[in-house]
Amino acid sequence: MKKIISAIFYFLVIPLGKLSAQSENTIFPLGTISYKNISYCNDTLTNHQLDIYTPSNGKNSYPVVIWIHGGGWRKGDKSDAMDNMSSTVKEMIAKGYAIVSINYRYSTDFKFPTQIIDCNKAITFIYNHAAKYKIDSDNIALMGFSAGGHLAALLGLSNNNKIKAFYSEAEDPKFKIKLVIDYFGINDITTLKGPGTDNPHTGVTLLLGASASERPDLAVFASPINYIDKNDPPFLILHGDKDLAVDYTQSKY
């Protein structure tokens, strides 16, 4: 998975934007194979859909990067940030990596751990259907932005901890995470400062249904840092020190 690390260095700080149908044609290399709006829960919810992009070089399988969008857990779309990371996207596909971008349910209607349950469900779907889409189920990396960075970190660190509440069927995951790329995600809700920490209509307070001070147990439960152990995958964490939304100290340990 080392090539993934080199590929993502093209953009260290990026604005997030939704990918349009027209811009998609200019972002992915010519011949990229795409599968759009696949339900990973066998329902009709848009928030339970994913997109798959694979190279067209004829290989039997490709290592995969799971793309997890940001938006404060309350908005966003599976194509977010691709416009602004076109060089990175092109590099990953050109180097022989598949990309799977996923949606998940919003905190406006569903509180934590719904979001991590959905992400695990999406990865389980990819693992179970790997052969159909020519994906190497033994080489799965995660790439998340802001709220998606939090979810990517939590997915990667809890993957070997057997947290039943993080899975819809309350069973141990079959898949293993090989690498996590965390763009300015929240890693310790209990120490988070700034916007979204007390406003009940946004941020972590909306995610948890209470502030961290009101429900420290939930804040600990939802914080990736509490699942660190020696068996975790390698991480690449990127965070600008001028970030006004997520305190950059969330990425310093």
Side-chain angles (χ1 to χ4, degrees):
M1 305 298 285
K2 291 182 179 179
K3 291 181 181 178
I4 296 177
I5 296 178
S6 63
I8 57 85
F9 273 106
Y10 280 89
F11 291 90
L12 298 185
V13 180
I14 56 170
L16 300 182
K18 186 175 180 179
L19 181 65
S20 67
Q22 182 177 4
S23 62
E24 180 180 319
N25 295 329
T26 64
I27 288 176
F28 294 91
L30 185 65
T32 299
I33 300 170
S34 63
Y35 307 88
K36 306 299 291 293
N37 300 322
I38 300 169
S39 174
Y40 59 81
C41 282
N42 196 29
D43 59 27
T44 59
L45 290 179
T46 300
N47 292 86
H48 278 161
Q49 292 180 349
L50 56 79
D51 296 338
I52 301 173
Y53 304 93
T54 64
S56 58
N57 58 16
K59 290 186 177 180
N60 291 328
S61 65
Y62 306 95
V64 62
V65 179
I66 308 295
W67 185 285
I68 309 175
H69 72 79
W73 304 280
R74 61 188 173 87
K75 60 182 180 179
D77 180 78
K78 50 187 163 57
S79 64
D80 282 357
M82 286 187 174
D83 267 345
N84 305 102
M85 296 189 71
S86 58
S87 294
T88 299
V89 171
K90 287 179 180 177
E91 181 76 3
M92 288 194 287
I93 296 292
K95 294 293 186 181
Y97 293 93
I99 299 174
V100 174
S101 55
I102 66 176
N103 281 341
Y104 50 87
R105 286 173 288 177
Y106 299 144
S107 58
T108 49
D109 298 307
F110 301 92
K111 304 309 175 188
F112 186 84
T114 296
Q115 295 71 31
I116 198 73
I117 290 173
D118 284 354
C119 289
N120 273 313
K121 187 74 173 180
I123 302 173
T124 297
F125 175 91
I126 291 299
Y127 181 89
N128 290 338
H129 297 83
K132 178 178 180 179
Y133 298 107
K134 293 188 175 182
I135 287 173
D136 182 354
S137 59
D138 291 325
N139 282 296
I140 300 174
L142 308 175
M143 189 174 189
F145 310 86
S146 193
H150 162 264
L151 293 172
L154 189 57
L155 284 163
L157 294 173
S158 67
N159 182 239
N160 64 343
N161 290 89
K162 300 180 180 180
I163 309 300
K164 300 289 187 182
F166 288 177
Y167 299 89
S168 59
E169 279 81 34
E171 61 184 20
D172 296 340
K174 298 177 182 178
F175 60 86
K176 298 296 181 184
I177 304 301
K178 290 294 186 69
L179 172 69
V180 177
I181 304 168
D182 171 8
Y183 276 91
F184 40 86
I186 294 170
N187 288 297
D188 188 355
I189 294 175
T190 65
T191 64
L192 181 66
K193 302 175 183 178
T197 55
D198 294 306
N199 186 337
H201 304 294
T202 189
V204 296
T205 305
L206 184 62
L207 177 71
L208 302 180
S211 68
S213 59
E214 292 171 329
R215 289 295 306 271
D217 57 321
L218 285 180
V220 169
F221 184 49
S223 294
I225 194 173
N226 295 306
Y227 301 94
I228 294 175
D229 61 53
K230 65 180 181 180
N231 298 314
D232 292 327
F235 268 61
L236 176 63
I237 301 176
L238 305 171
H239 205 138
D241 60 8
K242 304 296 185 183
D243 194 330
L244 299 179
V246 178
D247 184 359
Y248 77 94
T249 59
Q250 287 287 313
S251 297
K252 292 180 65 176
Y253 292 100

